Amino acid sequence: MMSALKVRNPKRKNVEESQMDEIEIRPWSDLPQDLIVSIMERLYVAEDWHLQPNRGIKAIDKLPWTMEYKWRNPKSISFWSVCKLYEPLHHNRRLSYMVEKGRMRGRKNFAKAEVRASRYSWVLFYKDDYWQGKFFFFNPFTKEVIFLPCFESPVSEFATFSLAPTSPHCFVFVPYERNYDEISINIYSHANKTWKTHDLVANDHPLGTLKAVGYMEGTFYCHFSSFHLAAFNIADQELSLVILTCPAMDHLDDSLFNYFSQSYLLECEGDLLLVYLFESLSCWHQLYVLKLDWSRNEWVRVSRLGGRAMFLGETSFCVSAGGETEIIANRIYYHHDGVPEFQTLDLCSFDEYDSRDHDYLTWQKEKKREAGNAKIYGYCRKSLKTIWIQPPQDS
């Protein structure tokens, strides 16, 4: 705990009498807010000063922060790095906290590592090292690192985990495609400290391309371009195929899928949601939100978020919007070239699609009215990689 600021009483008469002056004890929060922000921007998270409750600056509870990072490798045991956390605010100026800067000794496995998932304040990193998969967890709030045993596997583009790696019930899920009708998954049990491999062959139902992974209520899921799911139940240790249809997207022109698309699979208050983000060469975006109807084995369109907010990324999640978080209701946030952007779901007009006019397809962005309390995420540096990260629950 940092001590209170000591300020010399301004009523002293001269230097000789200064030793007799009383010292007035005042809290740090009495400092001007701009000065507090300037001080805090220069502090490292490990000092924990930013977690003091009476700092005069209130972040929006329950919302994810952003983390910028880059691990550079100068081919030595010590390498240059940068990692910063950004806290969402009610006003235009946000606070940043330096996690790592400069050379990091003894962390050579960080070099060229990429984020695969983030939840519960932890980030799961992956590093491909000559067909040997190296995974490790990093907590930027505490600087804790947990390395997992290596295993032989092709390059892993997808991975996620169930619980914080400090829990003995944590499982790590790493799938990879063998071909269009076969998939293998590697499951790491934190309790047993071991990896196990499971295979699934879909003889009569081609899977297509693996597009996204997710976790919900004890089951890991893989989403494919065929809209089918591969499901791995932790309790049963079984991998199965869920055959699904998606008539909600049948009416879309095939030319839309020629653009770059990214898929996200997430749990939202007991529902399994699938989100497609389409991006054209002219950099306009369209979002399509689907919900799994288990009774019909069908993906159905979602037209509203019911006041909730959605964050898309390496691990995607929904946030209930109410009270102080009401300003982000019905918004879907994602990163484009490292910059946080959002759109509102209620503006979608896919039902009016006309292949001759892509304006019908364009997801109309909310007007730039982000001022005052509405702006909670600022621009990020394009030279660094940016992700969403959930802060500790007690922060």
Side-chain angles (χ1 to χ4, degrees):
M1 177 73 69
M2 184 168 285
S3 60
L5 177 65
K6 295 183 178 180
V7 182
R8 183 67 66 180
N9 192 324
K11 295 182 179 180
R12 67 186 183 184
K13 295 180 180 180
N14 51 54
V15 176
E16 289 77 11
E17 296 175 349
S18 64
Q19 294 182 351
M20 303 298 296
D21 290 338
E22 293 183 358
I23 296 205
E24 180 182 357
I25 305 299
R26 295 170 58 186
W28 281 93
S29 58
D30 283 357
L31 287 173
Q33 181 168 301
D34 288 345
L35 181 56
I36 293 178
V37 171
S38 180
I39 294 172
M40 295 177 72
E41 286 177 341
R42 290 165 172 78
L43 289 177
Y44 282 71
V45 171
E47 297 181 34
D48 277 345
W49 188 71
H50 72 285
L51 297 180
Q52 301 306 319
N54 188 19
R55 65 176 184 262
I57 301 175
K58 183 71 168 66
I60 300 179
D61 293 335
K62 302 179 181 179
L63 296 186
W65 294 21
T66 52
M67 186 184 94
E68 294 180 352
Y69 78 97
K70 193 167 188 178
W71 316 123
R72 293 181 179 174
N73 183 15
K75 298 181 180 179
S76 68
I77 193 170
S78 300
F79 65 96
W80 184 90
S81 71
V82 62
C83 181
K84 295 183 73 174
L85 292 172
Y86 289 91
E87 184 177 5
L89 297 176
H90 278 297
H91 44 77
N92 287 334
R93 190 166 187 180
R94 59 185 182 152
L95 296 181
S96 63
Y97 307 103
M98 185 63 70
V99 179
E100 299 280 4
K101 187 177 182 181
R103 294 186 177 274
M104 295 167 53
R105 293 185 179 275
R107 290 190 176 180
K108 61 181 181 180
N109 284 330
F110 276 53
K112 298 183 179 180
E114 300 289 343
V115 171
R116 287 295 180 261
S118 172
R119 58 195 306 165
Y120 308 117
S121 307
W122 289 87
V123 183
L124 178 63
F125 281 92
Y126 171 77
K127 180 179 179 179
D128 178 39
D129 191 4
Y130 301 104
W131 284 75
Q132 188 176 59
K134 291 184 177 180
F135 282 93
F136 65 90
F137 286 99
F138 176 61
N139 188 322
F141 295 92
T142 63
K143 295 191 178 182
E144 294 176 85
V145 181
I146 299 176
F147 289 99
L148 305 187
C150 298
F151 66 96
E152 293 185 3
S153 172
V155 176
S156 175
E157 297 294 334
F158 299 94
T160 190
F161 57 102
S162 58
L163 298 172
T166 52
S167 168
H169 304 293
C170 172
F171 287 86
V172 179
F173 178 81
V174 184
Y176 66 93
E177 301 170 83
R178 292 189 179 276
N179 49 55
Y180 274 7
D181 60 2
E182 185 176 358
I183 185 173
S184 293
I185 64 166
N186 293 291
I187 294 290
Y188 175 76
S189 168
H190 193 55
N192 300 327
K193 311 294 183 184
T194 57
W195 289 95
K196 288 187 178 181
T197 302
H198 301 260
D199 297 318
L200 174 66
V201 179
N203 295 320
D204 300 325
H205 303 279
L207 300 174
T209 305
L210 179 61
K211 303 287 289 184
V213 297
Y215 172 79
M216 185 179 77
E217 299 177 353
T219 302
F220 290 105
Y221 294 97
C222 292
H223 160 63
F224 299 91
S225 56
S226 62
F227 291 102
H228 301 328
L229 290 176
F232 179 81
N233 184 274
I234 294 176
D236 298 334
Q237 293 287 294
E238 291 184 356
L239 180 62
S240 59
L241 179 64
V242 183
I243 307 300
L244 301 170
T245 60
C246 187
M249 296 183 71
D250 287 345
H251 67 288
L252 297 182
D253 192 278
D254 291 339
S255 61
L256 176 66
F257 294 90
N258 293 330
Y259 297 115
F260 172 79
S261 67
Q262 180 66 49
S263 303
Y264 305 91
L265 199 62
L266 66 153
E267 184 271 340
C268 189
E269 297 184 1
D271 290 324
L272 190 61
L273 300 185
L274 173 62
V275 183
Y276 268 81
L277 173 63
F278 297 100
E279 177 183 345
S280 74
L281 296 177
S282 59
C283 296
W284 45 262
H285 303 87
Q286 304 85 44
L287 284 161
Y288 208 76
V289 183
L290 305 165
K291 180 179 72 173
L292 181 55
D293 185 335
W294 293 98
S295 63
R296 296 186 294 177
N297 284 345
E298 178 181 306
W299 293 104
V300 297
R301 181 187 171 190
V302 175
S303 59
R304 284 177 173 79
L305 290 180
R308 296 167 293 190
M310 186 183 296
F311 292 84
L312 305 179
E314 282 74 13
T315 297
S316 303
F317 41 85
C318 279
V319 174
S320 297
E324 63 178 345
T325 60
E326 187 176 1
I327 61 173
I328 51 95
N330 298 313
R331 290 181 179 180
I332 299 179
Y333 285 85
Y334 56 94
H335 287 105
H336 175 63
D337 288 339
V339 179
E341 296 185 1
F342 74 87
Q343 299 176 12
T344 52
L345 184 60
D346 293 339
L347 295 179
C348 182
S349 58
F350 277 94
D351 285 340
E352 303 173 4
Y353 174 69
D354 188 328
S355 60
R356 295 168 298 176
D357 188 353
H358 282 287
D359 286 340
Y360 286 108
L361 264 178
T362 303
W363 187 290
Q364 303 175 36
K365 290 189 177 180
E366 185 170 336
K367 303 301 180 181
K368 293 185 178 180
R369 293 175 295 183
E370 283 194 296
N373 289 345
K375 189 170 185 177
I376 59 176
Y377 292 105
Y379 289 101
C380 303
R381 286 181 289 177
K382 291 186 178 181
S383 61
L384 303 181
K385 298 184 179 180
T386 309
I387 65 168
W388 305 111
I389 184 169
Q390 295 170 306
Q393 295 298 313
D394 57 354
S395 66

